[in-house]
Amino acid sequence: IGFMGLGAESDFFYDGGEMVYMSEEVVNKNRDGVLTQLSQWQAEVDFFLLQEVDRDSKRSHHQNEYTAIGQELSLFNASFGTNYKVDYIPIPLTKPLGKVWSGVATYSQKQPSESIRYSFKGNYDWPTYLFFLDRCFLLNRYPLDGERDLVVINTHNSAYDDGSLKQQQMEQLKAVLLAEYAKGNAIIVGGDWNQFPPEFAGLPGFELKENEREARYFVPKDYPAAGWQWAADHSVPTNRSLAAPLNLDTTPRYVIDYFLLSPNVSLVEVEGINLDFQYSDHQAVKITVALP
């Protein structure tokens, strides 16, 4: 949800833009939009997997977005995994980002029997790691019949690296996925992979350039093993460039948010939801599956 600060009118300094944090008016506009959408969808949704949810950050005017969403989804169980908690970020020097507390949040109709935060291994060199995200994935476990579980994983993989961190993180996640599947569990992974799905060629008018086709920008097709299925809508962008405010004619757009299903989970439908990036630099993806 772009910490409710990255709507259509925003750019961001990490991505080549100028803005560090947005006005409270903009944050409130995005908050209202996000909450309205979640409210409209909640009757037909069993799980919401959200990333970049702030709890106490200068960039979102210290609003507790996790609590606000929980109040809107009052019938859902909530769990949170911190991936960014720094008391003071001194960059950029002329307008410091300040305090950040943010992470991933999963809201579910059912009560999980277990919720575990896994910290992704690997990090940036000093001193960057002092001020940057500690990426993670959040695993929630829901009992099915017998001794099997439905395992729902909310992930937010690294951006801003040369691909080496992504590779380390994918290997770590792979070990967890294969161990859970070996127990007979059904597994759904969703989130911001910061990588393209297999065979993604770009969107009309925004076809991928040759350098963007290098292997490090794509998740492996047969990951974590043969029989697993990637579920992505290649026709609707899920992320936009933040080098400048949104221009629907020129702003580059990509697909980096999608799902991964274990072989015992059947895909019924996957649908990207186009809201023209009004409230975030990401767009929602809805998946419908059949469980064994």
Side-chain angles (χ1 to χ4, degrees):
I1 60 173
F3 56 86
M4 297 185 182
L6 299 176
E9 63 278 272
S10 302
D11 60 34
F12 196 52
F13 77 103
Y14 267 144
D15 294 81
E18 297 180 356
M19 297 183 186
V20 179
Y21 42 85
M22 319 312 154
S23 70
E24 190 167 8
E25 179 182 10
V26 167
V27 171
N28 289 343
K29 182 270 293 184
N30 294 331
R31 178 201 62 205
D32 293 346
V34 169
L35 294 178
T36 296
Q37 289 299 324
L38 294 175
S39 179
Q40 290 176 357
W41 295 334
Q42 64 178 316
E44 59 184 38
V45 170
D46 297 295
F47 304 93
F48 287 102
L49 310 183
L50 306 180
Q51 301 83 43
E52 292 187 342
V53 179
D54 275 7
R55 297 188 70 165
D56 185 7
S57 304
K58 181 178 180 180
R59 64 188 185 180
S60 51
H61 299 273
H62 302 282
Q63 297 188 28
N64 192 329
E65 298 168 356
Y66 177 61
T67 298
I69 294 169
Q71 291 171 346
E72 192 69 39
L73 304 177
S74 59
L75 299 180
F76 284 67
N77 295 277
S79 52
F80 186 85
T82 296
N83 67 5
Y84 205 179
K85 192 172 186 181
V86 182
D87 287 337
Y88 185 76
I89 300 172
I91 56 174
L93 295 177
T94 57
K95 196 175 185 181
L97 192 57
K99 181 177 183 179
V100 175
W101 181 15
S102 188
V104 299
T106 297
Y107 300 85
S108 57
Q109 292 273 17
K110 301 293 184 181
Q111 175 71 41
S113 61
E114 185 177 43
S115 184
I116 307 172
R117 177 194 181 276
Y118 286 85
S119 180
F120 274 128
K121 298 177 181 177
N123 217 320
Y124 298 88
D125 294 333
W126 187 91
T128 304
Y129 79 85
L130 296 174
F131 314 119
F132 223 63
L133 287 78
D134 294 319
R135 301 286 183 171
C136 72
F137 61 95
L138 185 65
L139 183 152
N140 280 16
R141 191 181 304 278
Y142 305 89
L144 297 174
D145 58 295
E147 298 181 355
R148 300 177 307 149
D149 295 323
L150 169 63
V151 174
V152 178
I153 296 177
N154 184 346
T155 188
H156 192 180
N157 300 59
S158 281
Y160 310 113
D161 77 292
D162 62 3
S164 58
L165 285 182
K166 293 182 178 70
Q167 185 174 0
Q168 291 181 52
Q169 293 168 1
M170 294 295 281
E171 286 299 312
Q172 181 184 357
L173 179 59
K174 176 179 178 178
V176 173
L177 297 178
L178 294 179
E180 291 291 342
Y181 185 60
K183 300 174 187 176
N185 295 331
I187 305 161
I188 302 170
V189 189
D192 177 2
W193 299 84
N194 274 309
Q195 300 168 81
F196 303 131
E199 301 176 357
F200 179 65
L203 297 153
F206 302 98
E207 290 76 12
L208 295 184
K209 301 181 179 66
E210 190 61 34
N211 69 318
E212 293 173 319
R213 295 177 181 272
E214 298 177 19
R216 68 172 182 260
Y217 293 106
F218 291 81
V219 292
K221 183 176 182 179
D222 291 326
Y223 176 92
W228 291 65
Q229 182 177 7
W230 292 104
D233 185 345
H234 290 225
S235 66
V236 177
T238 71
N239 173 248
R240 73 166 179 94
S241 167
L242 285 167
L246 177 67
N247 181 316
L248 289 174
D249 294 323
T250 61
T251 299
R253 280 155 274 174
Y254 309 102
V255 173
I256 60 174
D257 306 84
Y258 42 90
F259 294 87
L260 174 67
L261 309 178
S262 57
N264 54 357
V265 177
S266 300
L267 175 64
V268 176
E269 183 181 27
V270 59
E271 176 190 4
I273 300 174
N274 187 16
L275 300 174
D276 287 333
F277 298 98
Q278 295 176 70
Y279 312 119
S280 174
D281 61 319
H282 286 256
Q283 300 202 115
V285 183
K286 183 176 74 172
I287 193 173
T288 304
V289 302
L291 298 178

